[in-house]
Amino acid sequence: MSQSYDPQSLERSIQQRWQDSQVFRAPAKPGPNKFYALAMFPYPSGQLHMGHVRNYSIVDAIARYQRMLGKDVLHPMGWDAFGLPAENAALKNGVAPAQWTFANIEHMRAQLQRLGLSYDWSREITTCTPEYYRWEQWLFLQLWKKNLVYQKVSTVNWDPVDQTVLANEQVVDGRGWRSGALVERREINQWFLRISAYADELLAGLEGLEGQWPEQVLAMQRNWIGRSEGAEIQFPLADGSGSIKVFTTRPDTLLGVSYLALAPEHPICQQAAQHNAELAAFLERCKLGGVSEAVIETQEKLGAPLGLDVLHPLTGERLPVWAANFVLMSYGEGAVMSVPAHDQRDFEFARKYTLPIKVVITQDGEVPPAEALTAALTKPGILVHSGPFDGLDSESAKKRITEALAARGLGARRIQYRLRDWGISRQRYWGTPIPMIHCPQCGVLPVPERQLPVLLPTHYQLKDPRSPLLDDPEFLEVTCPQCGGPARRETDTMDTFVESSWYYARFTCPDAQAMLDERASHWLPVDQYVGGIEHAVLHLLYARFFHRLLRDCGLLPRQDSRFDEPFARLLTQGMVLKDGSKMSKSKGNTVDPQGIIDRYGADTARLFILFAAPPEQSLEWSDSAVEGAHRFLHRVWRLVHEYTPPVPPQPASLGDEARLLRRQIHQTIDRVSQNLAERQHFNVAIAACMELSNALAKASGRTQEQDLSAVLGEGLRTLVLLLAPFAPHLAEDCWQHLGEEGLVAQARWPQVDPAALAVDQISLVIQINGKLRERLEFPADAAPAKLQELVLQHPQMQRHLQNKTPAKVIVVPNRLINIVLP
RNA sequence: GCCCAGGUGGCGAAAUCGGUAGACGCAAGGGACUUAAAAUCCCUCGGCUUAUGCCGUGCCGGUUCGAGUCCGGCUCUGGGCACCA
């Protein structure tokens, strides 16, 4: 037996063996049993944090397990390398974003390698390299041809002091984070991807993910897409100058409308403000603050009358029009019909500005006077005060009222989505240049494909937040591809979500001389995707969208349902907490993974993080529990190294103790397999390994008994295999000690021997009226009726029964018997 | 404000389909070994003045022979809200 468990040198030498043998390299074309395991790739912030360790330990355990099942496994890693932090770092430290980013990648790659994750590093992708982003530009041009890209004016956060657009994150309490200036909303022309054209398909696709994706993620995506059925309704302007269109899901309440509310940016508001100083001041006030929905929805609800009326489309009644700061220009028509009696927000607004409230729906036939209402009556019911529609229920009224509107040409049934088109323009430097050209003669034109990539210059020293592309003639000045005259290059770059929307596909063919090649269809879809729950909507929805774009651009097979979705199975992991809150530098509660690895080794870090909680739950960091994980690994190391191989052959019959131990070994295989494959509760799988290790340790003192020694050998060999996905370095070392040939990383996962699981006695719980009273042993093969008889006659039961006749006896096979006494 | 989760011993958790609440680990206490310490090993470990008893899974109520698990209401904590990634 060698000295003792020394994770640092042990892990280094095992990692060397893995590297020498290239075991984790995936073939270009896998056999019929392929498995693509993917973790959400990191932003190279410079330091590995515990969230990364958790994410990658989970995927690595899955990848290693699948490899031991004999599959061809693709398990790649790369860098989501464009984004805001590089610019911030550049401003702070005077390092060019590219330089900063690549230095961070070097450092973090070394950290990942030290963790011993089973990546195929030959497929590494870095999104800020032209080799990667040129295909994104290429795709953009294809989408332009398909009319899936367009320009439109939309709202951004504007910092009037720094003269720059701010990310929502950079708006703190309505002020710019650097300047402290009050942030304004500003309208600028931007590039959009028409994701709304895929709304129905993205919604329908969720059904196929049922059972494979967490229910909560499916629910969040459904709500985000937000399909709603309703009607669009025209309200003619009283002065005859046109009409205002609204969308509503409640046309049944149309006779209860008392005013219209318009988004401040609505053209009719803007028009009305030209001769209305008070309104203009109000609209100006509405411009203050950020653009995020959370800000808009939580601010005080304010409004101002436009001083013009519309006509009710059915009754012709005059209704006032208001501007309201909570109406979103980006949803529906930017205008809503307000029914205060039956919508809570309208109700509060009407009370605040003393606007009329008309009850038109009743639950029980009672019609309370408007003054008596304390809240809106939002449930559907029966119509009242609605003229010819009185007495209809809400559902049929929706239909009838919409028909009545359609007959007058003032309305129609409509399906509305909450999902908006994806604005991908960023007025930033560190991103993929949008490959378009603005020519004063010819207008907006795409960069010709042969001129791709449009290279992002990397030499700038940033002095202020303004994009240096705006001031660089070398970048800006181009020749118009159409007229040959002087033109200006587009300076907006793409949202970094674009890079992360297709990287999973590029990993299958990272050196392809096209965006993707046939290798994509060999490996896709990703069989298991793992990442933080914070990506439940945006990233995962955008990637699902891109998957369809790739397919529709002919890069993925069309007629094969295997390629419907990019991620066949999804696991969303919880956060790593310290003292109950998220680890962050500002809170000063971070734990550096590097320190843990230096002190205890990678196996301990990985084992702890998998053991501390089930993956989807948040994980509370604990230094002493890390010690515990380390102690366990040390115990396993000693247990294995104290055993002297070779394992003797097992005798034909085993003694009671040996048989019991062997049963536990095979029960453990069963539990660990289930908790790795279906349930993915790695903490439970590891707990089962600990129990097995405890049982083996008890037997280890008695190796002179031949049957026990043989079963112990089988147990140790099994334990090492079962631990290989969690503590791979230790497992390799122990595997070697047990005299096994080759790498445990390539060994076969153990199989359950059903014969070892057989039992002849079972322990049953006996309840009286649902309360636990006895635990009794019975033959395993007794029929339920026989069991019931045995229990009722059992001497230990008589004092519980007290000569009463049971009213009912419930027998749950192999578990319990509940006797209901009168 | 809207959407989605979660709440179980001193702590992290387990209980897979409505069927033994607390597996496994941490911490703590006691003991063995040691000149001593560390390491290691063994025992105890939800609460209640006795234990074949009663109570106990955020709070209030319901369904059921039986509820941590299902239903209704509340509360607190966390994630997302379209330019952080």
Side-chain angles (χ1 to χ4, degrees):
Chain A
M1 173 178 164
S2 47
Q3 325 75 351
S4 79
Y5 175 47
D6 173 11
Q8 299 304 335
S9 68
L10 184 155
E11 291 179 358
R12 292 238 176 252
S13 84
I14 297 295
Q15 284 171 11
Q16 192 61 51
R17 281 187 68 195
W18 287 334
Q19 208 192 321
D20 294 344
S21 53
Q22 292 284 306
V23 263
F24 305 131
R25 197 137 187 168
K29 183 171 182 177
N33 269 331
K34 67 97 183 173
F35 194 92
Y36 182 1
L38 185 66
M40 290 181 185
F41 68 162
Y43 178 80
S45 58
Q47 288 297 325
L48 201 65
H49 58 69
M50 284 300 173
H52 294 131
V53 176
R54 189 176 195 193
N55 194 172
Y56 310 147
S57 299
I58 289 168
V59 182
D60 199 49
I62 294 170
R64 286 177 181 274
Y65 169 66
Q66 293 292 336
R67 215 174 270 119
M68 291 174 78
L69 292 180
K71 299 194 183 165
D72 282 330
V73 171
L74 171 57
H75 184 205
M77 184 39 73
W79 311 98
D80 188 15
F82 273 136
L84 203 53
E87 292 188 35
N88 294 338
L91 287 174
K92 200 173 157 201
N93 310 320
V95 201
Q99 203 187 329
W100 182 83
T101 303
F102 284 109
N104 286 349
I105 288 173
E106 287 304 311
H107 181 67
M108 287 178 75
R109 188 194 299 112
Q111 288 189 305
L112 289 184
Q113 285 170 344
R114 179 62 192 83
L115 272 173
L117 301 160
S118 63
Y119 295 131
D120 178 353
W121 281 106
S122 72
R123 292 168 182 263
E124 185 176 354
I125 281 173
T126 304
T127 60
C128 64
T129 60
E131 294 74 40
Y132 186 81
Y133 68 68
R134 68 174 299 167
W135 300 112
E136 209 159 292
Q137 294 174 336
W138 176 84
L139 185 74
F140 186 96
L141 299 180
Q142 312 311 308
L143 299 178
W144 170 259
K145 284 187 229 162
K146 287 177 177 286
N147 190 29
L148 289 167
V149 171
Y150 67 101
Q151 267 190 302
K152 118 181 140 176
V153 168
S154 75
T155 319
V156 294
N157 302 303
W158 180 255
D159 185 322
V161 170
D162 270 347
Q163 290 285 299
T164 181
V165 174
L166 296 178
N168 284 336
E169 184 194 48
Q170 298 172 312
V171 179
V172 183
D173 297 328
R175 291 173 184 275
W177 67 325
R178 279 164 60 90
S179 68
L182 281 173
V183 168
E184 297 165 10
R185 299 195 186 104
R186 180 175 273 213
E187 310 263 285
I188 59 172
N189 211 18
Q190 309 213 70
W191 292 98
F192 284 80
L193 297 188
R194 216 180 289 278
I195 191 173
S196 60
Y198 287 77
D200 254 333
E201 208 193 319
L202 289 167
L203 186 64
L206 296 172
E207 275 172 42
L209 299 172
E210 211 74 55
Q212 303 299 306
W213 278 36
E215 201 45 59
Q216 56 164 321
V217 175
L218 297 177
M220 282 191 264
Q221 293 223 347
R222 273 190 197 106
N223 292 334
W224 186 265
I225 296 168
R227 183 182 195 274
S228 58
E229 292 183 17
E232 58 177 43
I233 303 176
Q234 307 264 6
F235 287 78
L237 287 158
D239 62 8
S241 66
S243 66
I244 296 175
K245 199 198 271 183
V246 306
F247 171 78
T248 180
T249 56
R250 293 295 303 272
D252 54 319
T253 63
L254 180 61
L255 281 297
V257 175
S258 48
Y259 60 99
L260 296 191
L262 271 53
E265 304 86 17
H266 196 286
I268 291 188
C269 290
Q270 299 297 325
Q271 214 179 325
Q274 286 172 10
H275 339 278
N276 184 336
E278 223 172 300
L279 178 63
F282 174 75
L283 298 184
E284 207 49 43
R285 222 182 121 191
C286 286
K287 281 191 180 164
L288 280 181
V291 298
S292 78
E293 195 177 306
V295 167
I296 290 165
E297 293 278 339
T298 50
Q299 70 195 357
E300 194 192 353
K301 315 264 177 293
L302 296 173
L306 259 55
L308 53 89
D309 290 342
V310 290
L311 302 177
H312 192 285
L314 294 182
T315 66
E317 184 191 358
R318 288 179 86 100
L319 302 169
V321 180
W322 283 62
N325 66 348
F326 57 85
V327 179
L328 301 172
M329 192 60 215
S330 48
Y331 182 70
E333 298 293 333
V336 296
M337 62 177 222
S338 293
V339 186
H342 304 294
D343 179 282
Q344 186 58 26
R345 199 162 57 177
D346 297 346
F347 178 80
E348 285 162 21
F349 193 80
R351 276 283 157 86
K352 182 168 182 170
Y353 292 104
T354 53
L355 290 155
I357 297 173
K358 305 172 203 170
V359 177
V360 292
I361 304 278
T362 174
Q363 297 293 302
D364 46 11
E366 304 268 318
V367 182
E371 312 79 64
L373 290 180
T374 53
L377 310 165
T378 55
K379 288 186 188 152
I382 305 296
L383 271 70
V384 290
H385 298 316
S386 295
F389 307 105
D390 281 357
L392 291 175
D393 62 276
S394 286
E395 266 325 291
S396 30
K398 283 179 182 175
K399 200 163 165 255
R400 292 277 298 280
I401 289 177
T402 309
E403 283 163 7
L405 288 165
R408 294 168 180 234
L410 291 174
R413 204 177 97 85
R414 184 164 130 191
I415 290 169
Q416 174 70 31
Y417 294 93
R418 203 186 77 98
L419 178 68
R420 314 196 291 254
D421 278 339
W422 177 11
I424 58 156
S425 274
R426 297 292 179 270
Q427 294 69 41
R428 298 251 169 70
Y429 156 60
W430 191 235
T432 301
I434 290 177
M436 299 299 284
I437 290 169
H438 302 267
C439 171
Q441 305 303 319
C442 314
V444 179
L445 296 161
V447 171
E449 273 184 36
R450 62 178 185 285
Q451 289 178 19
L452 293 184
V454 176
L455 286 174
L456 183 72
T458 54
H459 62 274
Y460 306 126
Q461 291 295 317
L462 303 194
K463 288 176 192 67
D464 55 61
R466 180 182 161 87
S467 168
L469 299 176
L470 293 163
D471 308 311
D472 181 358
E474 281 210 40
F475 181 81
L476 278 177
E477 292 169 11
V478 286
T479 324
C480 172
Q482 193 161 301
C483 69
R488 188 181 64 83
R489 198 180 280 293
E490 172 64 60
T491 51
D492 279 1
T493 54
M494 292 190 212
D495 180 0
T496 56
F497 271 126
V498 177
E499 283 86 62
S500 54
S501 293
W502 67 284
Y503 78 107
Y504 66 91
R506 183 73 183 178
F507 272 136
T508 65
C509 49
D511 53 358
Q513 294 308 299
M515 190 169 191
L516 298 176
D517 64 23
E518 73 287 348
R519 287 172 287 175
S521 57
H522 297 154
W523 281 107
L524 289 176
V526 174
D527 293 279
Q528 176 69 64
Y529 195 33
V530 182
I533 183 67
E534 66 273 17
H535 295 294
V537 178
L538 291 180
H539 162 61
L540 288 167
L541 188 67
Y542 292 149
R544 295 182 60 228
F545 169 46
F546 256 60
H547 196 69
R548 288 161 173 81
L549 294 179
L550 295 171
R551 177 200 65 194
D552 291 346
C553 288
L555 296 163
L556 290 174
R558 225 179 191 298
Q559 306 298 344
D560 190 335
S561 64
R562 279 182 304 155
F563 303 102
D564 284 354
E565 288 285 338
F567 312 120
R569 195 172 182 199
L570 174 71
L571 174 62
T572 47
Q573 108 213 16
M575 290 185 311
V576 182
L577 311 178
K578 176 99 198 292
D579 310 320
S581 62
K582 189 175 175 170
M583 282 191 188
S584 73
K585 276 184 198 145
S586 58
K587 292 197 189 96
N589 62 348
T590 54
V591 178
D592 181 9
Q594 196 60 53
I596 300 296
I597 296 166
D598 292 344
R599 182 147 180 216
Y600 301 102
D603 281 343
T604 293
R606 296 168 55 144
L607 189 85
F608 162 74
I609 216 155
L610 291 174
F611 178 63
E616 67 277 9
Q617 230 169 85
S618 61
L619 182 154
E620 177 65 31
W621 183 264
S622 158
D623 287 325
S624 51
V626 175
E627 294 253 13
H630 188 69
R631 275 202 294 269
F632 168 69
L633 292 179
H634 200 156
R635 268 200 302 276
V636 171
W637 188 91
R638 241 183 306 120
L639 190 59
V640 172
H641 284 256
E642 276 165 7
Y643 186 83
T644 319
V647 178
Q650 235 163 65
S653 76
L654 300 174
D656 281 352
E657 277 175 273
R659 219 177 62 231
L660 228 64
L661 183 60
R662 186 149 191 275
R663 186 197 302 160
Q664 189 173 354
I665 293 167
H666 286 266
Q667 278 171 340
T668 307
I669 298 174
D670 195 37
R671 271 182 83 190
V672 174
S673 306
Q674 274 189 43
N675 280 295
L676 257 168
E678 296 101 63
R679 299 192 58 214
Q680 303 185 316
H681 278 201
F682 312 109
N683 56 330
V684 183
I686 292 167
C689 290
M690 288 173 168
E691 285 182 78
L692 178 60
S693 153
N694 291 343
L696 296 175
K698 281 208 181 89
S700 69
R702 310 195 11 212
T703 42
Q704 67 283 8
E705 294 163 54
Q706 202 221 329
D707 60 344
L708 260 182
S709 174
V711 172
L712 177 63
E714 182 190 1
L716 291 174
R717 190 177 176 282
T718 305
L719 180 63
V720 168
L721 288 166
L722 297 180
L723 281 173
F726 312 116
H729 307 88
L730 175 95
E732 290 291 1
D733 177 80
C734 290
W735 192 242
Q736 241 178 313
H737 174 82
L738 291 175
E740 298 286 348
E741 296 289 322
L743 293 163
V744 78
Q746 292 176 306
R748 283 292 163 270
W749 191 251
Q751 296 243 324
V752 178
D753 176 2
L757 298 178
V759 286
D760 38 37
Q761 286 274 306
I762 52 161
S763 171
L764 274 191
V765 162
I766 314 299
Q767 294 182 338
I768 304 287
N769 293 330
K771 287 192 186 290
L772 174 77
R773 284 296 178 264
E774 299 287 341
R775 288 164 217 264
L776 302 174
E777 294 276 320
F778 295 101
D781 52 4
K786 178 72 182 165
L787 264 182
Q788 185 172 331
E789 193 191 319
L790 285 173
V791 170
L792 291 175
Q793 286 168 3
H794 201 282
Q796 266 169 266
M797 289 306 298
Q798 299 319 309
R799 66 190 183 87
H800 298 298
L801 296 172
Q802 299 172 332
N803 291 324
K804 291 183 196 157
T805 313
K808 204 171 175 185
V809 179
I810 288 128
V811 180
V812 183
N814 298 321
R815 286 198 177 266
L816 60 74
I817 291 180
N818 187 17
I819 299 164
V820 185
L821 291 182

